[in-house]
Amino acid sequence: MGAGHMLEAAGVDAEEERVYRFLLGVREADTGGIAAQLGWEAARVESVLAALHGKGLVGRAAEPPAGGPERYVPMAPDAALRPLLLRGHEALEWARRGVEQLAEEYRAGGRRHDAEQLVEVITGASVIRQRLRQMAYGAGEMRWLCKARPVALAAAENDEEWELLARGVRYRTIYERELLEGPGMVDNVARSIRAGEQARAAGTLPVRLVIADSSMAICPLVYESGDVLDGDGAGAGAGDGHGDGDATERAPGPADRVGEPTAAVIHSSSLLDALIALFESQWAAATPLHVTDSGELADFEDGQNPAVHLADDERYLLSLIVAGVADKAIASQLWVSQRTVQRRIQALMQRAGALTRTQLVWQVAQRGWLTNG
């Protein structure tokens, strides 16, 4: 798009833009004056003015000279073009969703006729990175299980996740504790959390895994020196930010391919449902991470929140919850209302990163809140 035709995306063609820019300069003119200045025929100018008037970009002067031709004035461009731009944006979004739907129907049709399309096997760091980028830029939510050791992208290269977080893409990431002990990892994870990532830590993770929405997952099949599915930077990765190291693309030879990373791309299926359930179970058991007021990463060391952070009444309340005492009975024992009990339980659930009371009881046992201190 040339510099002289900036408004095409808003539905304003080159002739309309030229007349509108002319009116911006003179502030008011009639059809004959515009035609004379632009060297156009009057009928051509009238047609363009009618189109601009319909788009709200020009108006008629309030009081044309007695017996004189009708005069036109430019309208504020931001007020006139904003609805046009919004409609254009909505049309593009609608088209994008349509393409995604058609693509999914295409893939689903292929999978019904060819079960091998349920799982693709891809080989090579660059190939895996490219697929990760495609997943991330088309997703509304990304879920990561990040294990320690072999890595493929440097943390300093982790830009895509922060860009996508700024766009509103939701990130939930579980880091293996050994990975968090790597150089620069704490700062990188803290930066991601400040950008909006929801992060948790676990002692060990069963597998490296990336899930985009609930439609696709990538899981490594062979752990080799070029592994790209997580690493030494928060979200350090192949396009979206969870990878690490520095892998140089090369032409594969017979000996080289043995050492290249290999991953499975899992499409919508019962297998994908099982991987999603695996992630959610790991998420429920992992320890939430947060950034303190001083900018440090907290609540991951040794997998526990120290019991000394709990007040005596909080510890007593937890003991009653673990024992299965009903809210009404707890309220009676604590001499508070049942609503107050429920509010305190909700606060404890938030601190533990639990969504249900069952998860809260699990977290209490995992962290030793009733046995430490």
Side-chain angles (χ1 to χ4, degrees):
M1 186 182 303
H5 187 195
M6 299 172 59
L7 304 182
E8 182 179 5
V12 179
D13 66 27
E15 289 189 345
E16 293 166 356
E17 183 173 345
R18 186 176 179 189
V19 172
Y20 181 68
R21 287 180 176 275
F22 174 77
L23 283 173
L24 287 176
V26 300
R27 305 305 295 175
E28 183 176 327
D30 58 29
T31 301
I34 298 172
Q37 289 294 324
L38 299 182
W40 293 2
E41 293 182 358
R44 181 182 178 187
V45 174
E46 288 175 356
S47 175
V48 172
L49 286 172
L52 289 171
H53 185 268
K55 294 172 181 177
L57 284 168
V58 302
R60 294 180 175 86
E63 296 181 2
E70 198 162 36
R71 299 179 68 81
Y72 294 87
V73 295
M75 307 302 290
D78 51 349
L81 293 177
R82 187 176 294 114
L84 294 174
L85 291 170
L86 287 175
R87 284 197 294 271
H89 176 75
E90 291 169 357
L92 287 173
E93 180 64 18
W94 182 263
R96 184 186 69 81
R97 291 182 181 275
V99 170
E100 290 178 352
Q101 181 178 352
L102 289 172
E104 179 55 34
E105 290 177 7
Y106 171 81
R107 290 189 293 266
R111 291 194 293 270
R112 283 193 295 270
H113 293 87
D114 185 0
E116 291 183 359
Q117 292 193 30
L118 292 174
V119 178
E120 300 176 54
V121 177
I122 56 178
T123 301
S126 62
V127 176
I128 296 175
R129 288 183 198 142
Q130 181 62 29
R131 184 59 67 90
L132 285 169
R133 288 189 179 96
Q134 293 172 353
M135 286 175 59
Y137 279 100
E141 179 184 26
M142 296 292 291
R143 288 175 274 195
W144 284 82
L145 294 182
C146 292
K147 286 179 65 66
R149 288 185 298 275
V151 293
L153 282 181
E157 299 175 11
N158 173 29
D159 296 322
E160 288 84 356
E161 179 187 355
W162 299 314
E163 175 190 344
L164 292 168
L165 283 167
R167 292 185 184 182
V169 177
R170 184 186 183 199
Y171 272 75
R172 288 196 290 156
T173 305
I174 306 174
Y175 297 95
E176 200 169 64
R177 296 192 191 287
E178 184 179 348
L179 177 63
L180 291 171
E181 295 170 0
M185 269 302 302
V186 169
D187 290 340
N188 279 288
V189 174
R191 179 182 175 186
S192 288
I193 293 174
R194 285 193 294 269
E197 177 184 276
Q198 298 178 48
R200 297 191 176 188
T204 58
L205 292 172
V207 67
R208 292 178 174 87
L209 179 65
V210 187
I211 302 172
D213 296 326
S214 295
S215 60
M216 185 184 300
I218 293 183
C219 179
L221 297 177
V222 179
Y223 297 120
E224 296 290 352
S225 60
D227 201 337
V228 297
L229 279 187
D230 55 83
D232 67 351
D240 87 16
H242 287 78
D244 24 358
D246 183 69
T248 302
E249 188 173 354
R250 57 183 177 177
D256 291 336
R257 295 193 65 85
V258 175
E260 287 187 340
T262 301
V265 181
I266 300 98
H267 298 277
S268 297
S269 60
S270 297
L271 176 57
L272 178 61
D273 294 341
L275 292 175
I276 292 172
L278 171 65
F279 175 90
E280 295 300 337
S281 66
Q282 294 291 321
W283 181 263
T287 303
L289 304 179
H290 70 272
V291 180
T292 65
D293 293 339
S294 61
E296 298 178 348
L297 192 64
D299 289 355
F300 72 84
E301 188 173 357
D302 297 325
Q304 299 175 354
N305 288 334
V308 294
H309 290 173
L310 292 173
D312 290 341
D313 59 340
E314 291 176 322
R315 190 175 291 108
Y316 181 53
L317 172 58
L318 283 173
S319 68
L320 296 175
I321 295 171
V322 171
V325 180
D327 289 358
K328 186 175 181 180
I330 294 176
S332 177
Q333 292 195 43
L334 298 181
W335 294 89
V336 296
S337 69
Q338 191 170 337
R339 179 169 294 182
T340 298
V341 169
Q342 293 170 346
R343 187 173 64 251
R344 291 181 180 177
I345 292 174
Q346 284 295 324
L348 288 168
M349 289 171 60
Q350 290 179 0
R351 290 177 62 180
L355 299 178
T356 65
R357 293 196 185 194
T358 301
Q359 291 180 7
L360 175 60
V361 171
W362 170 266
Q363 292 287 357
V364 168
Q366 287 291 103
R367 305 180 192 193
W369 279 2
L370 296 180
T371 58
N372 296 340

